[in-house]
Amino acid sequence: MKHRIVVLGAGYAGAYAAGNLARRLSPADTEITVVNAEPDFVQRLRLHQLAAGQRIQAPKLADVFAGTGIRLRVARVTAVDPGRRTVAVADAGGGGELGYDTLVYALGSRVADHGVPGVAEHAFDVTGRPSALRLRDRLDALEGRGGGTVLVVGDGLTGIETATEIAESRPGLSVTLIARGEPAARLSAGARGHLRRACDRLGITVLEHTSVEAVEATRVLCADGTVLASDATVWTAGFAVDPIAAQSGLEVTEEGRIVVDRSMRSVSHPDVHAIGDSVHAIGDNGRPLPMSCASAGDTARRATEAIVGRLTGGRTADVRLTYVGNHISLGRRDGILQLVDGEGRAKPAYLGGRKAARIKAGILATALWAVSHPTFGMPRRRRRLTAVPAAPAAKRLAA
């Protein structure tokens, strides 16, 4: 009986983990299934570009995993039962259950409304392909009628990238960035100055120290009583994880992220590994890793090393868990590369301009290539399992 590995989510972390497991484990002993709600790979880090009107590649996951031995199930995960070691899914055919022996949880994150009234009903976001396309349609409509006002709410990197991308790609629209504090406050002084100059160059109005209390269809209400007219409000004020993990009985943080050890293994259910935005992992500096593409790669590598080592009796490499910095795009021709120290604080020096933009574009292109070639360099002989762990007590469930 083969050891069943189920990977939930085929974003940067999930696709990377599935491909590496397929590359390193013998198909004679293992079967790997990836469950993803969409049939395409979504370049989430480029969704603000998609919303701005640019063409973004979306490789078919069936093509990505072709010839790898990985099974693809296009379905939405509705529940996880770690006691029975099953996953409930819903799809066009009605759904069903998948049984697993090892689960890799990589369902990522979605927009966090923080309880602000009207966000769910009236705001746009760039955390998923459908929502980014909905925003693009709205921006197209505004341009078609001769212009309009776009409010981007959020002072983090997603808000900055979204505001600058829209302003550069659609100069006929008026773009305002609403920041609860100072935009990108954790950057160095020099990098923050570069950002201010970029916003001035692109004609972006920046409202600092402004808190939004409600979003309506045509306006935003601020805590100080200010009312701002808006033809499209884009909410980028943070991310939240799906409640599935918390509802399953896995040990999670207050925010619902899965608590793991150094091997990305759930502290409450050792046959579950969590990676990407879904995981609460402590880095080498003693701080939780932030939600980011870099963290997705680090946690996925650590989890695959641990799974391969456990199943094959090999030595588990100690992958470092560090966060080295931020790569921020400011449109297509400008950017910021900000390195951080061991405590996560911005170093005084930064790189800005076209070179930083090219580095960011190169990183994203490399990430896409890696996902599109999940088993590149696959060895002719892959590692056999030392002993296939017993199947769960529950009846074996067909995929």
Side-chain angles (χ1 to χ4, degrees), residues 152 154-155 160 176-185 192-193 195-197 199-200 204-212 222-224 226 228:
V152 180
D155 51 16
I160 291 167
T176 296
L177 177 64
I178 303 177
R180 190 179 184 92
E182 180 183 3
R192 294 197 303 273
L195 172 60
R196 286 191 294 271
R197 291 190 295 273
C199 288
D200 290 342
I204 299 171
T205 300
V206 180
L207 299 180
E208 296 184 352
H209 308 291
T210 302
S211 179
V212 172
C222 301
D224 62 2
T226 302
L228 301 172

Side-chain angles (χ1 to χ4, degrees), residues 48-49 52 54 161-169 329 331-332:
H48 59 289
Q49 295 176 239
Q54 299 164 31
E161 292 194 327
T162 301
T164 53
E165 203 73 51
I166 293 174
E168 181 182 85
S169 297
S329 63
R332 295 298 84 213

Side-chain angles (χ1 to χ4, degrees), residues 230-254:
S230 177
D231 296 302
T233 299
V234 188
W235 191 264
T236 65
F239 303 97
V241 297
D242 197 285
I244 288 176
Q247 294 167 354
S248 73
L250 293 167
E251 183 172 336
V252 299
T253 64
E254 290 184 4

Side-chain angles (χ1 to χ4, degrees), residues 44-360:
R44 182 169 178 177
L45 296 177
R46 281 183 161 155
L47 288 179
H48 59 289
Q49 295 176 239
L50 180 66
Q54 299 164 31
R55 181 178 176 83
I56 304 301
Q57 288 181 270
K60 295 291 183 184
L61 289 172
D63 296 335
V64 169
F65 295 134
T68 66
I70 296 171
R71 302 178 180 185
L72 174 64
R73 179 73 178 267
V74 179
R76 180 173 56 86
V77 177
T78 58
V80 173
D81 186 342
R84 296 176 56 233
R85 284 193 274 186
T86 61
V87 176
V89 300
D91 57 19
E97 284 189 331
L98 298 172
Y100 68 83
D101 299 302
T102 295
L103 182 70
V104 181
Y105 190 107
L107 289 181
S109 61
R110 52 184 172 79
V111 67
D113 61 19
H114 301 297
V116 175
V119 171
E121 296 83 2
H122 304 299
F124 298 86
D125 67 79
V126 291
T127 58
R129 184 176 173 84
S131 57
L133 290 173
R134 189 170 71 91
L135 174 57
R136 186 176 72 179
D137 290 342
R138 178 59 175 165
L139 299 180
D140 287 344
L142 293 179
E143 285 194 322
R145 74 183 197 189
T149 299
V150 179
L151 301 185
V152 180
V153 182
D155 51 16
L157 305 188
T158 301
I160 291 167
E161 292 194 327
T162 301
T164 53
E165 203 73 51
I166 293 174
E168 181 182 85
S169 297
R170 300 174 183 266
L173 300 179
S174 173
V175 178
T176 296
L177 177 64
I178 303 177
R180 190 179 184 92
E182 180 183 3
R186 298 186 66 181
L187 297 182
S188 64
R192 294 197 303 273
H194 185 98
L195 172 60
R196 286 191 294 271
R197 291 190 295 273
C199 288
D200 290 342
R201 172 175 55 81
L202 294 169
I204 299 171
T205 300
V206 180
L207 299 180
E208 296 184 352
H209 308 291
T210 302
S211 179
V212 172
E213 284 198 334
V215 177
E216 298 181 354
T218 59
R219 62 181 190 170
V220 162
L221 310 181
C222 301
D224 62 2
T226 302
V227 178
L228 301 172
S230 177
D231 296 302
T233 299
V234 188
W235 191 264
T236 65
F239 303 97
V241 297
D242 197 285
I244 288 176
Q247 294 167 354
S248 73
L250 293 167
E251 183 172 336
V252 299
T253 64
E254 290 184 4
E255 297 80 20
R257 300 171 75 183
I258 299 173
V259 181
V260 297
D261 61 16
R262 284 280 300 181
S263 67
M264 302 302 111
R265 204 172 186 180
S266 165
V267 298
S268 61
H269 295 79
D271 48 6
V272 176
H273 290 255
I275 57 179
D277 288 355
S278 303
V279 66
H280 177 78
I282 303 301
D284 292 346
N285 62 0
R287 303 171 185 269
L289 293 178
M291 293 183 180
S292 68
C293 183
S295 297
D298 285 346
T299 56
R301 281 191 293 274
R302 193 70 183 91
T304 54
E305 287 287 345
I307 292 170
V308 171
R310 174 169 60 89
L311 296 182
T312 65
R315 178 180 177 274
T316 300
D318 185 16
V319 178
R320 295 186 66 195
L321 294 175
T322 59
Y323 191 73
V324 299
N326 298 306
H327 301 85
I328 311 161
S329 63
L330 305 174
R332 295 298 84 213
R333 296 181 294 276
D334 193 3
I336 295 172
L337 170 58
Q338 176 71 73
L339 299 181
V340 300
D341 61 21
E343 297 300 315
R345 295 170 301 205
K347 295 182 178 180
Y350 78 98
L351 177 66
R354 289 180 178 270
K355 187 172 183 179
R358 288 196 294 269
I359 292 174
K360 173 68 179 286

